Amino acid sequence: MSNRETYAPGPPSGAEVQKDGEKWTLVLVRKLRHPPAMVWQALTDLAHLREWAPFDADRNLDTSGPVKLSTVGAPTLQVSETNVKRAEVPRLLEYSWGGNDIRWELEPLGGGGTRLTLWHNIDRGFISWGAAGWQICIDVPDRLLAGQPIGRIAGPEVMKFGGWQRLNAEYAEQFGVETPGWPSRARS
């Protein structure tokens, strides 16, 4: 039985960083036990997004076009007016959030599962935060689709979650970066 009180994220895995000067891209790969159509729904449908995503959207993300994304749990409301650039059901979703590009790719796996790959451009000083946060965020819809919901763990709440600090430190070591201090500050 999986619930919020007993959930603990696994060790850091399936993550790498692509570096292009100061522009860094987190690449996070997860093998989910659900078929691409179900995973697509979790990534694009408003009702599913409200269960796991670190933002609220003003519409489904399953078609190209304008969308407003509001950061969950931010001390002040942060709304990004952006566009879904590509929505190729059920294999590819691209949009920007907070000025950073996000790309989800879904590939069918044998046995009915999905290989989910996330590319997210993140300031290099926060790459370990992003890896830890996205790992936890992706665990939530995986459990939701399995009928074992644990509820949204996103925004500042994710940093209060026990496993996040461990993951952040382990990803920072893996990527060769220092973990950012609080309040946040960019590193050069």
Side-chain angles (χ1 to χ4, degrees):
M1 178 162 166
S2 179
N3 64 37
R4 193 177 195 84
E5 290 74 38
T6 60
Y7 165 73
S13 66
E16 65 178 59
V17 176
Q18 297 174 349
K19 301 173 185 175
D20 181 11
E22 290 300 307
K23 183 177 181 180
W24 285 23
T25 301
L26 170 67
V27 182
L28 190 61
V29 179
R30 287 286 174 269
K31 291 180 181 175
L32 305 179
R33 55 191 170 214
H34 317 288
M38 285 181 73
V39 176
W40 178 262
Q41 188 175 16
L43 292 176
T44 61
D45 181 80
L46 278 179
H48 282 103
L49 289 168
R50 286 186 193 112
E51 295 292 326
W52 73 270
F55 55 77
D56 285 322
D58 70 344
R59 68 170 182 88
N60 289 346
L61 303 180
D62 58 350
T63 56
S64 297
V67 64
K68 290 181 184 174
L69 304 178
S70 305
T71 303
V72 172
T76 58
L77 183 62
Q78 296 177 10
V79 178
S80 297
E81 294 191 25
T82 189
N83 277 296
V84 173
K85 298 172 193 169
R86 292 173 67 187
E88 299 173 12
V89 182
R91 59 171 219 87
L92 179 66
L93 178 65
E94 291 181 1
Y95 54 91
S96 291
W97 177 42
N100 296 312
D101 294 327
I102 294 179
R103 175 186 171 108
W104 299 95
E105 189 171 301
L106 295 78
E107 299 172 69
L109 292 174
T114 301
R115 175 186 161 112
L116 178 66
T117 305
L118 165 68
W119 287 266
H120 186 185
N121 298 104
I122 301 176
D123 180 284
R124 65 176 280 211
F126 295 93
I127 199 91
S128 62
W129 280 28
W134 278 118
Q135 178 171 328
I136 291 170
C137 272
I138 293 169
D139 281 353
V140 174
D142 186 41
R143 283 164 174 73
L144 176 68
L145 292 172
Q148 302 170 331
I150 58 176
R152 184 188 261 178
I153 304 171
E157 180 188 2
V158 80
M159 291 186 267
K160 297 175 190 167
F161 203 77
W164 181 85
Q165 291 183 10
R166 172 187 52 83
L167 277 175
N168 180 36
E170 291 171 351
Y171 276 123
E173 184 175 335
Q174 177 183 330
F175 300 152
V177 297
E178 291 182 43
T179 59
W182 189 261
S184 60
R185 62 181 187 277
R187 293 185 182 273
S188 55

